[in-house]
Amino acid sequence: MPHFVIDCSKDILEIQEPNTVLLQVHNDANNSGLFDETDIKVRLNPFKDNYLVGGKKTPFIHVFANVMEGRTTDQKANLSKQIVTGLKNHVS
């Protein structure tokens, strides 16, 4: 069962609705063809305070993917690229 955990600064959610971010990652994972849709789990953790990026309070988004064995390095790399591209289109 794949788990995707999204950490982001709260100001990212002023650019895009939380549900849109969650659905983007879910849909990209589902469209990869690597998982059954009902097995995909996505969580979002926004941070209002207590973070720095390069020593400054700068907006960020980071996706942690926990994927069980059985996927090739190429499959995981393609999944990562799909997720990054999808999020860039929604939060940049």
Side-chain angles (χ1 to χ4, degrees):
M1 288 192 221
H3 292 261
F4 298 89
V5 179
I6 306 163
D7 285 350
C8 68
S9 54
K10 192 169 182 176
D11 49 359
I12 292 291
L13 303 180
E14 294 169 7
I15 299 168
Q16 195 55 256
E17 293 288 324
N19 199 50
T20 301
V21 175
L22 289 163
L23 282 171
Q24 181 64 50
V25 172
H26 172 87
N27 290 338
D28 287 333
N30 187 46
N31 292 337
S32 73
L34 298 174
F35 318 106
D36 289 331
E37 183 171 21
T38 57
D39 291 337
I40 299 168
K41 293 169 183 55
V42 183
R43 297 188 303 278
L44 176 67
N45 299 312
F47 290 84
K48 179 179 178 186
D49 295 311
N50 302 319
Y51 72 87
L52 295 174
V53 178
K56 301 176 188 172
K57 206 114 168 161
T58 304
F60 76 94
I61 187 164
H62 184 92
V63 180
F64 297 90
N66 297 304
V67 178
M68 293 179 69
E69 293 180 17
R71 278 69 181 191
T72 67
T73 301
D74 285 342
Q75 287 173 319
K76 292 185 277 189
N78 288 333
L79 173 63
S80 178
K81 288 175 190 173
Q82 284 178 284
I83 290 172
V84 168
T85 299
L87 288 172
K88 276 185 171 181
N89 290 335
H90 280 89
V91 297
S92 348

